Amino acid sequence: MIAVPLNDAQREAVAHVEGPMLVLAGAGSGKTRVLTVRLARLIETQRVDPRRILAVTFTNKAAAEMRTRVAQLLGRQPDGLWIGTFHAVCARLLRREAPHLGFSRTFTIYDEADTESLVRRVIDDLGLPPRLYSARGVRHEISRAKNTLTDSEAYAAAAADPYRAGVARVYAATIQALRRANAMDFDDLLLHPLALFAAHPERLADYRSRFQFLLVDEYQDTNRAQYVFLHALAGEAGNLFVVGDDDQSIYGWRGADLRNILEFQRDFRTARLVRLEENYRSSRPILDAANSVIAANTGRLGKTLRTRREGGERLTVVRAADERDEAEWLVREFVGRVERGEQAFDDIAVLVRTNAQTRAFEEELRRSGVPYRVVGAVGFYERREVKDLVAYLRLLVNPDDDEAFVRAVSVPRRGIGETSLVALDDCAKQRGWSLARTAGAAGRVPGLRPQVRESLERFAAELAAQARDLGALQPAEALRALVERLGYERYLLEEDDTRPERLENVNELITAAAAWSEEAGAVDDEQGSPVERFLVQAALTTSAEVASGECGVTLMTLHAAKGLEFPVVAIAGLEEGLFPLARADTADDLEEERRLCYVGMTRAKNKLFLSFGAARRRGGSLLRAAPSRFLDDVPQSLVEERVTRPSWSVAREALRRPARGAAPLALVADQGDAAAETSDLAPRYRVGERVRHRRFGAGTIRDVAGRGRDLKVAVEFDDETVGLKQLLALYAGLEREEGEQWA
């Protein structure tokens, strides 16, 4: 018997068996518990075969956590259960069904970098101007089209301007290139199952019969393709159990459709609705403030979170001079809390709207000697040396993978330059061959030097030999053999003998592969060799789930914070034009920005700081800023206000402006006006005055030159190792020493 404490609403959701259900789960309301207990109950109490259940999550971490919890509740592994992200589930399905779509089961999955590289090559092949058609922008446009189920023909037909007509050409060409390479990008993993179901109704009938119960986490984040996939498997009145929160729908910019959850009961007229409104995370002041902010949105199903936690600290609203002052004040507060034994640095997170905002905090944390980590940094599988070795494995498994060939042929160097690769590519296109196959016949490729032909043919022969030896090797064994054959460690040292961490990353990749083999085991009806299955995991592991650094204060964007919680949270940069963003100029955009604010606030368990600057540096200019409209929605009774006390007058002038409820101040866009404003606000430096710099310490002004944003100050610092420094006053942040007065 599964004995887990549940509240009444959770118990109602878990006890549901047949028919569709929407669980509207507020932040911190125990949705993971509901999903896992329901899964375990279906298997243990309802005697459902785990192979008849499909559970879909939005992150690999969530999938692993759910599988672990279910196993703990059952006391055994739920063998046969399909559980994973949409992309992982679809990749697994396609490994079984790829021949029906004209692919082999060894198809390669292109990550965003691979797809962008392919798009860049296609743009070049089509002769489109790269200044107008950036590979990243075109890839994003194609991805958006795929996520809305707009194929290349429909996109071309709807193209309303020359730019989109060009994108349509790239779109069509990349589809052909992917098929030639026996490859799929991330979006294709969602689209190809739909194509399979449309072309082979019997396969849809088979999967619909197999998956008797479907469970979906974070349903509010589903896009059109995911929506159609789920509804195809569920049928008209299937057992589709979805959990989500319309107030936490924050991915509209990447295709998530809020209507999927708002209209669930219209799509499934027999669906039951359960609201999880009891929050187990946040204190009452935090929760009441978050409820007040989100209540201003109109496009929502509606719920009010409540907590049993009485008392708790009020929110602190911090009015700072600028982004540096904001970072200094918050870091000092964090240090004080740690020194008083109230928190550890690991308990604290700073959430920002844009990645660029972490810079000021990183600098201040380093200066203060506070450990920190940045979530969303370059992911492990995106590092150069890791991508090199993974590309080799991909090429051994799938010789038609041209993107992997282009990367592998240059590592280590073989004297094959860009011109030779262009000639090889031209010949491959003419023959309809892959680059690897064409390299094996390099003697027949016109325009190649004899040494290059010999090098290409030798490379192709090495690949063929290694592919034969690959057999049933475990991934770690295959990687060790590859590193040895390539002399890859020597290559790395010759490339950059000052970066031993590259070798550490190689060893870590082998360790990760060995760990995968230990955990993967034999999976019911999973297709492919161990190496092929490991490559799927490598392709589907995203940087968003990887943090740099091991401990300390966490810096991350609000989007990356979704699903996490911390005892102490600071949301920084709550200024009009920054949060909400200036480009959020429609009602729907503003509601999504407000939902993002709600998500950030509900990450906090015990203490929440909301901070903003009266001015902020953007594009080289110091611009005035107005407090975010979201602050106006927080009841005054729930907050304590703090105003920083910086000593330099630019800050004092800025802080004289009202903190909340004031009319928005116009941002300075013109460079000349910005310089004039900066000149007016800046301290009047004098030769001979004593000043202090955050990094260099105390010193004496020896010279002043220029004006406005170009004002330069020469300071001779007391530290002889620093000496005389020329500083741009706008960014130097100089403070007068005690007793000095600005003119």
Side-chain angles (χ1 to χ4, degrees), residues 585-708:
D585 54 1
T586 68
D588 287 345
D589 290 341
L590 283 171
E591 293 219 342
E592 179 154 324
E593 290 285 295
R594 189 180 298 277
R595 291 193 294 270
L596 186 58
C597 185
Y598 172 81
V599 166
M601 295 174 74
T602 53
R603 299 312 92 196
K605 297 170 69 176
N606 304 327
K607 179 64 180 180
L608 178 60
F609 294 92
L610 304 174
S611 64
F612 65 95
R616 187 169 294 268
R617 288 162 182 81
R618 296 188 191 177
S621 299
L622 184 66
L623 308 179
R624 290 178 293 173
S628 170
R629 69 191 70 187
F630 301 149
L631 291 171
D632 294 332
D633 297 323
V634 180
Q636 286 279 0
S637 60
L638 297 176
V639 305
E640 58 177 10
E641 296 195 4
R642 293 287 183 268
V643 180
T644 64
R645 299 297 181 192
S647 54
W648 60 100
S649 59
V650 60
R652 292 203 308 271
E653 289 293 327
L655 287 172
R656 287 174 185 159
R657 305 190 181 279
R660 303 170 64 196
L665 299 174
L667 294 181
V668 181
D670 181 76
Q671 293 291 337
D673 290 343
E677 181 186 64
T678 303
S679 178
D680 290 341
L681 292 177
R684 294 191 176 94
Y685 299 99
R686 292 198 302 263
V687 174
E689 285 182 322
R690 295 284 294 171
V691 293
R692 177 170 293 277
H693 187 275
R694 292 172 174 79
R695 179 179 174 189
F696 303 135
T700 303
I701 295 178
R702 297 303 184 196
D703 189 30
V704 179
R707 57 172 296 177

Side-chain angles (χ1 to χ4, degrees), residues 10-33:
Q10 291 173 333
R11 195 174 299 109
E12 181 183 353
V14 165
H16 178 75
V17 180
E18 299 284 344
M21 172 173 273
L22 167 61
V23 178
L24 199 61
S29 62
K31 69 180 179 65
T32 303
R33 172 176 291 193

Side-chain angles (χ1 to χ4, degrees), residues 63 67 116 134 174 213 343 371 401 412 470 737:
R67 181 180 290 277
E116 194 168 308
S134 73
T174 55
F213 292 91
Q343 261 88 40
D401 187 343
L470 195 64
E737 283 215 306

Side-chain angles (χ1 to χ4, degrees), residues 108-125:
T108 297
I109 300 172
Y110 279 9
D111 63 16
E112 290 185 357
D114 298 321
T115 307
E116 194 168 308
S117 176
L118 173 62
V119 168
R120 186 176 292 107
R121 286 204 295 128
V122 169
I123 289 171
D124 186 57
D125 290 345

Side-chain angles (χ1 to χ4, degrees), residues 438-453:
T438 309
R444 289 182 279 169
V445 177
L448 295 180
R449 291 181 288 109
Q451 300 96 315
V452 173
R453 289 176 177 170

